[in-house]
Amino acid sequence: MSTSALPIDARTPQAAAPPNAMSMREVLRITTMRRLWYAQIVSNFGDFLALFAVIGVLTFKLHATAQQVTGVQISYQVPIAVLGILAGVFVDRWPLKRTLVSSDLIRGLLCMLLLISTQMWHFYLILAAISIVSSFFGPAQGVVIREAVPMHGLRSSNALMQQVMFIMRIIGPAAAGMLVASFGPNACYWLDSASFFASACFIGSLAIKRSATVHKHTAAEDKGAVAKIWHDMQEGFSFIIHHAALLFVILALATGMFIMGCFGPLIAIYVRDSIHAGNTIYGWASAMIGIGILTGINLLNTFGTKIRNTILVYTGLSGIAVGLVLLTAITHVWSTLLGDFLIGFSVAGIIIPAQTMIQQETPPQLMGRVGSTVMSVIFSAQILGLLLSGALAQVTSVRTVFAICAGMLVLLTLAGKLFMEPKSA
């Protein structure tokens, strides 16, 4: 058996015990990580302000249909899904600091175009342009974290970054609503633009260096730029496909995001038709997912440091399945809130360990390509979930869709055991 077929933990050297996992506080003592975290806070907060302001304008001013509002999300996700794999090739070659700072500056300028947008297609086009630039920023940020944080601190660093995103997802809509009501949507656009410039300042103050690697000349380089790019993309694909554990966690992330893509649009229909409740319960049901994710991230980072990443991924997949089965089998308010919380809690058990394993197992020279491929797969899964959720619900029912998703998760968990666990001799 090749070493790539073994679980991560089975390849840990036996001679020396691994150092204790770093806490979030210890990780934040690393200057690079701390300033990246600050940049993440301000830029994510601005992003959610602008996104919900755009949705508000489309809904109440331009009287958009449900499909047109969903198109806002799709217009942002499609470029990352399509260009993500290609972007990683350039991230692995470009200077990291210049890539991050220029991406922030360009996105800040693009946000200013929202101030003069009056037609629906204006918003779609601007959000798509921002997404194109973001497809370079995300993988570059992942490379910097891998370079700056020791291996035993990666789980805490990933938890910190994910925590920011989900906190902003919870408080963003309320903050955007108050700002739009008091000052209009332009206030949100200005703040989003300013947040990108602030992020650029935080990152610009860092001294970012990439690990030295030995360049190996290939025949593709003699055939021109296109052949060289294609060769680099193939190199990243080959590494993922031949690394069984890495392939599984990427599939686990994609499946989790597909489920969330299906789940998001359908939970409102479930609340209305299955438990016969209204907007208040729908609001609480949606919030419980975010609360569950935040709770899972913090408990995982506090009490889960001794648990293998592989076990956490299995548990996360199984927990989402249990939450979906609960929603399918019992149709009460309490079961809905509990099921949503359990799903969110379990999602944290996939995201953090999976990202940590990807960073630990990927060679530095391939981090951009692998990171961008993961990002592309995740966004593609979310888009597929958004597109299929309505169609599946029309053919069957919302509860049947939840049951189908639970079955997919069980099958993936069983497949993971075959992929990631060592075969007995």
Side-chain angles (χ1 to χ4, degrees), residues 138-220:
Q141 184 187 59
V143 176
V144 174
I145 292 174
R146 162 69 185 273
E147 297 283 353
V149 180
M151 288 292 182
H152 58 288
L154 288 175
R155 186 183 287 188
S156 287
S157 66
N158 289 319
L160 277 168
M161 300 305 254
Q162 291 296 324
Q163 190 180 62
V164 168
M165 186 179 69
F166 288 111
I167 289 175
M168 295 309 169
R169 180 170 291 181
I170 291 172
I171 68 175
M178 290 188 292
L179 282 170
V180 171
S182 301
F183 305 105
N186 283 359
C188 295
Y189 305 152
W190 278 115
L191 284 173
D192 192 20
S193 181
S195 75
F196 281 121
F197 296 139
S199 175
C201 290
F202 281 122
I203 296 172
S205 66
L206 293 171
I208 299 174
K209 295 182 180 180
R210 192 194 295 266
S211 296
T213 56
V214 178
H215 174 70
K216 296 180 180 179
H217 186 83
T218 63

Side-chain angles (χ1 to χ4, degrees), residues 39-55 72 76 80 103-104 107-108 110-111 114 126-127 130-131 133-134 137 141 164-165 168-169 171-173 175-176 179 187-197 199 379:
Q40 181 92 339
I41 291 172
V42 296
S43 62
N44 272 18
F45 182 63
D47 281 349
F48 281 109
L49 287 181
L51 177 62
F52 285 102
V54 167
I55 291 175
V72 172
Y76 182 79
I80 294 179
S103 296
D104 273 337
R107 289 186 294 177
L110 288 171
C111 285
L114 292 171
I126 293 167
L127 290 175
I130 292 172
S131 176
V133 181
S134 296
F137 183 91
Q141 184 187 59
V164 168
M165 186 179 69
M168 295 309 169
R169 180 170 291 181
I171 68 175
L179 282 170
C188 295
Y189 305 152
W190 278 115
L191 284 173
D192 192 20
S193 181
S195 75
F196 281 121
F197 296 139
S199 175
F379 276 85

Side-chain angles (χ1 to χ4, degrees), residues 14-314:
Q14 300 295 320
N20 292 329
M22 298 174 69
S23 67
M24 290 185 185
R25 182 175 297 180
E26 290 172 330
V27 166
L28 285 176
R29 293 195 185 112
I30 302 171
T31 301
T32 299
M33 183 63 210
R34 184 171 63 253
R35 293 184 187 175
L36 283 175
W37 186 63
Y38 292 155
Q40 181 92 339
I41 291 172
V42 296
S43 62
N44 272 18
F45 182 63
D47 281 349
F48 281 109
L49 287 181
L51 177 62
F52 285 102
V54 167
I55 291 175
V57 169
L58 294 182
T59 302
F60 300 109
K61 186 175 181 180
L62 299 181
H63 306 289
T65 64
Q67 291 81 2
Q68 290 170 327
V69 173
T70 303
V72 172
Q73 293 177 286
I74 294 176
S75 67
Y76 182 79
Q77 293 175 346
V78 165
I80 294 179
V82 173
L83 296 176
I85 298 174
L86 180 63
V89 174
F90 296 98
V91 169
D92 281 332
R93 293 177 175 270
W94 289 347
L96 293 172
K97 182 175 177 177
R98 192 180 304 170
T99 301
L100 290 169
V101 172
S102 59
S103 296
D104 273 337
L105 295 177
I106 293 170
R107 289 186 294 177
L109 294 173
L110 288 171
C111 285
M112 288 186 174
L113 295 177
L114 292 171
L115 296 165
I116 57 174
S117 300
T118 56
Q119 303 295 321
M120 206 164 299
W121 67 269
H122 293 167
F123 294 102
Y124 287 172
L125 189 61
I126 293 167
L127 290 175
I130 292 172
S131 176
I132 291 172
V133 181
S134 296
S135 67
F136 295 91
F137 183 91
Q141 184 187 59
V143 176
V144 174
I145 292 174
R146 162 69 185 273
E147 297 283 353
V149 180
M151 288 292 182
H152 58 288
L154 288 175
R155 186 183 287 188
S156 287
S157 66
N158 289 319
L160 277 168
M161 300 305 254
Q162 291 296 324
Q163 190 180 62
V164 168
M165 186 179 69
F166 288 111
I167 289 175
M168 295 309 169
R169 180 170 291 181
I170 291 172
I171 68 175
M178 290 188 292
L179 282 170
V180 171
S182 301
F183 305 105
N186 283 359
C188 295
Y189 305 152
W190 278 115
L191 284 173
D192 192 20
S193 181
S195 75
F196 281 121
F197 296 139
S199 175
C201 290
F202 281 122
I203 296 172
S205 66
L206 293 171
I208 299 174
K209 295 182 180 180
R210 192 194 295 266
S211 296
T213 56
V214 178
H215 174 70
K216 296 180 180 179
H217 186 83
T218 63
E221 293 179 324
D222 298 327
K223 298 179 181 179
V226 174
K228 184 163 56 177
I229 291 171
W230 178 246
H231 173 269
D232 287 352
M233 289 175 62
Q234 285 181 314
E235 192 176 16
F237 285 140
S238 178
F239 174 75
I240 293 171
I241 291 172
H242 291 92
H243 196 302
L246 205 61
L247 179 61
F248 171 73
V249 297
I250 292 173
L251 290 175
L253 272 174
T255 304
M257 293 304 102
F258 173 80
I259 300 300
M260 295 302 288
C262 285
F263 189 76
L266 294 182
I267 190 61
I269 307 299
Y270 177 86
V271 168
R272 184 192 67 190
D273 295 346
S274 296
I275 63 175
H276 309 292
N279 282 328
T280 301
I281 300 301
Y282 167 62
W284 276 107
S286 299
M288 289 304 288
I289 299 173
I291 293 170
I293 292 174
L294 285 176
T295 304
I297 288 174
N298 285 282
L299 289 180
L300 173 66
N301 205 63
T302 303
F303 302 106
T305 56
K306 302 295 184 181
I307 305 174
R308 293 191 311 172
N309 287 322
T310 55
I311 297 299
L312 290 172
V313 173
Y314 294 145

